[in-house]
Amino acid sequence: NAGVTQTPKFRILKIGQSMTLQCTQDMNHNYMYWYRQDPGMGLKLIYYSVGAGITDKGEVPNGYNVSRSTTEDFPLRLELAAPSQTSVYFCASRRLDEQFFGPGTRLTVL
Amino acid sequence: DQQVKQNSPSLSVQEGRISILNCDYTNSMFDYFLWYKKYPAEGPTFLISISSIKDKNEDGRFTVFLNKSAKHLSLHIVPSQPGDSAVYFCAATLSNDYKLSFGAGTTVTVRA
């Protein structure tokens, strides 16, 4: 049981490039979340999903897209990367009242 | 608009003593509160939670207190151990949607 896994661990992008952050959970949780954490700040919700095929915006969705074709996977897509998207990205899944987080992806946009 | 605030960015405490972490929130609709612990290069892990129908919840060395009238909660760690050195995040949510609002975190350092 690996829990929530995220790839890659680190990535450097140039301005205007695009990429997909991968997130997979093996706990069969319906709810999944994407957060970003900027230095000295708390985690902020980007997008979330309540099940396969259903996604919704969180607090800071601009510049991102998500899809949820299976229960296990919840990829986060960055189109036209900008320096403001430099952050650490965490994916999480939820069972009852507890969210389980992945180890994070550290993204730098130069 | 920061709905959850942790005003102390850091806390240093001697091993064996009590650590007290504070958290304030502004949204009176929040009815469920959580504390997460985070080590470097890892994701946050759930520590303890409390519903707004309670004013205290205890789990081993960790106790969370909730003061709804003051919109304030605190986490007590007794006794503090070196392994408790980490960043602690306070989070709040509505129990019908579980979209967490996080504070900025408090870095706890436990000195031997």
Side-chain angles (χ1 to χ4, degrees):
Chain A
N1 189 332
V4 179
T5 57
Q6 292 183 239
T7 57
K9 285 187 171 27
F10 305 93
R11 183 73 184 268
I12 298 175
L13 281 182
K14 293 183 180 177
I15 294 172
Q17 287 186 319
S18 61
M19 77 164 292
T20 299
L21 282 67
Q22 302 292 344
C23 174
T24 300
Q25 53 97 3
D26 61 0
M27 297 174 282
N28 202 33
H29 293 164
N30 285 323
Y31 288 78
M32 295 187 74
Y33 306 82
W34 273 106
Y35 295 89
R36 60 177 285 174
Q37 185 192 8
D38 299 328
M41 305 286 287
L43 283 72
K44 294 194 174 183
L45 183 64
I46 306 171
Y47 269 95
Y48 67 101
S49 170
V50 301
I54 307 171
T55 63
D56 205 349
K57 296 177 181 178
E59 186 183 353
V60 290
N62 292 343
Y64 307 94
N65 278 301
V66 293
S67 59
R68 185 94 182 271
S69 56
T70 66
T71 299
E72 294 77 22
D73 300 307
F74 190 37
L76 178 72
R77 178 83 177 161
L78 278 74
E79 305 282 2
L80 297 174
S84 61
Q85 293 178 304
T86 293
S87 191
V88 180
Y89 292 83
F90 291 100
C91 178
S93 68
R94 177 169 75 83
R95 181 184 70 87
L96 300 177
D97 58 359
E98 184 175 344
Q99 291 192 22
F100 300 83
F101 285 83
T105 294
R106 184 175 294 274
L107 176 68
T108 302
V109 182
L110 300 173
Chain B
D1 180 25
Q2 194 83 1
Q3 297 189 79
V4 178
K5 297 180 182 178
Q6 294 176 256
N7 291 321
S8 296
S10 63
L11 171 69
S12 181
V13 63
Q14 193 159 13
E15 183 178 0
R17 305 294 291 268
I18 184 171
S19 295
I20 300 177
L21 291 75
N22 293 303
C23 177
D24 297 294
Y25 61 96
T26 57
N27 188 344
S28 58
M29 299 296 291
F30 286 146
D31 62 356
Y32 198 72
F33 306 89
L34 308 92
W35 285 93
Y36 280 82
K37 178 178 179 179
K38 185 184 180 303
Y39 292 118
E42 295 183 10
T45 55
F46 171 76
L47 189 58
I48 192 169
S49 62
I50 188 167
S51 165
S52 61
I53 63 173
K54 294 185 175 181
D55 55 19
K56 177 183 173 180
N57 189 27
E58 194 171 351
D59 184 1
R61 297 185 296 114
F62 303 92
T63 303
V64 56
F65 296 92
L66 176 63
N67 182 334
K68 289 187 293 293
S69 61
K71 296 193 187 70
H72 177 84
L73 62 156
S74 62
L75 174 69
H76 292 207
I77 307 173
V78 184
S80 300
Q81 298 175 352
D84 297 331
S85 295
V87 179
Y88 290 79
F89 291 100
C90 172
T93 187
L94 303 174
S95 57
N96 63 356
D97 73 11
Y98 286 102
K99 291 187 286 187
L100 299 179
S101 294
F102 282 86
T106 297
T107 300
V108 172
T109 303
V110 180
R111 310 186 309 272

